[in-house]
Each structure stands twice: as structure tokens, then as C-alpha cells.
Amino acid sequence: MSSVHTPGSGYVLLHHVMGETDGNPGIWSYVEGGMGSVSMAISSAAREAGAHIVTRAEVSQLMINDSGRVNGVQLADGAQVHSSIVLSNATPYKTFMDLVPGNILPDDFILSIKHSDYSSGTTKINLAVDKLPQFQCCKLSHPDPGPQHVGTIHIGSESMEEIHSACQEAVNGLPSRRPIIEMTIPSVLDKTISPPGNHVINLFIQYTPYKPSDGSWMDPAYRDSFANRCFSLIDEYAPGFSSSIIGYDMLTPPDLEREIGLTGGNIFHGAMGLDSLFLMRPVKGWSNYRTPLQGLYMCGSGTHPGGGVMGAPGRNAAGIVLQDLKKSLN
């Protein structure tokens, strides 16, 4: 939830282009079969290495022994899983404020976690359409996929001031009148996710406040109104887009928090400002994946180097756990 004029906000752009695909820097890729294929690939590799994975097992709280060390987790159904090491991929807020029992953590640490920036101005809309959008700037009349459908398509960001105005409206509690939309159409390259002739379109939208001042995301009419505002904006660039929609699913910041556990709806488990990166992530003094609770480690996007589909926080955290295990065995 920051403007283009916010000092340091340019880092987020750098964060998005510093990666690579097949050795090509700044290039993004689609995952065949959808993003769930990444999770499936990781789980398959883990099982091959001997891991036992249990799903649909909600954790209600961490168990702490008398010496103040983590002793495992208690599940929502009352079952207990004992372990001297626990890694949390939940957000720092969810981990320390919801899952750790009260009066265990240092007060200054709790204050730092509590007052970290988890705000988010993004909404995700996933659509099924019966034809590809025809962008009038391309001056093409055929319906076939072209290079204009393959990359990332930006809509509604004609100038820096337009982006700034969209942000300010959300800061004042109103969803952007002319939202900033990032569109991708993965089905142009991945034929496994939609039937022939139809397509899947993903919209990443800014800016939407967590608690709008002019309505509620719980109100179906309010939700539809904002979605239609986005579709109408796309119509300006691709006439007839709205009429091609078969159905859609919308995830606002509260939806992302409720359904995926993302505190504040922040997809990076916390803001990626310059004051919350590197040695300050998740909070000052605890950037090495360890926590004030012995045996508890953080391994998600709330740790260095932050969000994105790269696996770096988890790999780094695993290395620290192995280091500590070797020390304890010596």
C-alpha cells in the first residue's frame, strides 16, 4: 500500500526483475498446470527424500516445555505432534501472535511483530473467458493468440500520477476509481488449464483497502461493483472483454487473509519496504531464521529475502537448522 512517490518503493520493482528463467535475467515463467504444480513438485521431492506430509491438519498452537523450548504442535482436533524442531511458513504475525502461547515471548519482540506493516492494497481476480481479449492498439482482427497475449499486460497505468491517485484513493478508504491492473493469460502457453477455445486470465489489481469506507467486501453487490469496474476499464483497451467472461473468482485482502492465512492480505507476509528487508526482516535482531523460542524457526516470505516463488527463505532456513543440529550433536 504505497505510492510511486513513496521513498524506497522502487525496490519492489527491482525485487520482481532480479530473478531469472533458464539463465535469462528478469524473465518470468508460467508453471504448467498452474501454481499448484510448484507445491506438488516440492512435495514429491520431499517424499522421495523420506518426508511424511499431512494435509488438512490445522495447527492450533505451539507446545512449549518447562524449559521454554518448543516441544511440537497441537492440532485443532486435539492431536499432538511432538518435535524438538518446528519450522513455520506462516506469517510472522500468525506465528507469534496466534500460535505461540501468551507470556512466552519477550515484550519488545512482541511489540515489533505487532507493529510491523502487513497492510496490502492488492486484489486478485481469476477469470474464465470464451475468447482472448482483442487489444485495439494491436489493430488485429483475428482471434488467435499472439505475442501481445504472452507477457505481462499492464492496464490503467498511463502515468505516474494516475498510479499515485489510485493509491491515494485507497489510503483514504476507497477502492481505486481507475485501478492499476496487471493481466496475465497463462492458458496461451499452457494448454492443460483450460478447454480448447477458452482461456484463463489472472488479474492482479491495485489498490483496494482492507476495510473500505464506502462499503464492505462481505457485501456481494459491493464486490460485484468493484469487479465490474475493473472489467469496464479493460473494455477501454480491449472492447468486448466483459462479454467474454464465463465466470470469475475474486480475492480481496480480507479473503487472502481468511483463506490463505496472509495477515492483512499481504502476499509477501509483510511489507517489502527498505525498513523491513535484509537485517530488519522479519524484525531487527532476528533475521537469521531463528526466533526467541529455542527450536522454532521461520522459513516463509516474512524472512529474508522476502516474497516471490523462489524458495530462498526455506532453503536458507533449512541450512540454519542443519547447522544448529550439527552443533547440538557435537
Side-chain angles (χ1 to χ4, degrees), residues 9 12 112 137 143 188 200 224 229 239 241 275 280 288 296 303:
S9 61
V12 180
S112 296
C137 61
V188 170
V200 170
D224 287 342
R229 183 186 309 175
F241 174 78
D275 58 347
M280 304 294 286
N288 62 357
L296 174 64
T303 62

Side-chain angles (χ1 to χ4, degrees), residues 47 66 69 95 100-101 110 150 176 196 207 267 269 275-276 285 299:
R47 286 192 173 103
D66 294 338
R69 184 186 175 92
T95 302
V100 174
I110 285 290
V150 175
S176 302
Y207 293 85
I267 63 169
H269 291 199
D275 58 347
S276 53
C299 64

Side-chain angles (χ1 to χ4, degrees), residues 249-318:
D249 175 48
M250 183 164 77
L251 293 167
T252 64
D255 298 327
L256 292 166
E257 181 176 72
R258 182 180 62 256
E259 295 187 26
I260 311 176
L262 297 173
T263 303
N266 192 297
I267 63 169
F268 283 167
H269 291 199
M272 296 284 288
L274 294 181
D275 58 347
S276 53
L277 295 173
F278 304 107
L279 296 175
M280 304 294 286
R281 194 168 190 88
V283 294
K284 184 180 178 181
W286 296 99
S287 62
N288 62 357
Y289 311 98
R290 299 181 181 96
T291 73
L293 271 176
Q294 198 173 3
L296 174 64
Y297 299 80
M298 296 298 294
C299 64
S301 295
T303 62
H304 176 74
V309 187
M310 56 180 159
R315 188 180 194 278
N316 292 349

Side-chain angles (χ1 to χ4, degrees), residues 169 172-175 209 211-215 222:
E169 287 164 354
N172 293 327
L174 301 171
K211 290 182 179 178
S213 60
D214 63 341
Y222 187 83

Side-chain angles (χ1 to χ4, degrees), residues 33-96:
M35 290 304 295
S37 296
V38 177
S39 300
M40 296 303 292
I42 294 172
S43 64
S44 295
R47 286 192 173 103
E48 283 180 23
H52 177 62
I53 300 173
V54 180
T55 58
R56 299 185 184 279
E58 181 185 352
V59 174
S60 61
Q61 73 170 5
L62 286 153
M63 298 189 300
I64 315 295
N65 63 21
D66 294 338
S67 64
R69 184 186 175 92
V70 166
N71 194 31
V73 296
Q74 181 164 321
L75 305 184
D77 63 4
Q80 295 183 344
V81 181
H82 293 273
S83 175
S84 60
I85 292 174
V86 174
L87 292 99
S88 174
N89 189 38
T91 70
Y93 189 95
K94 179 75 175 174
T95 302
F96 298 113

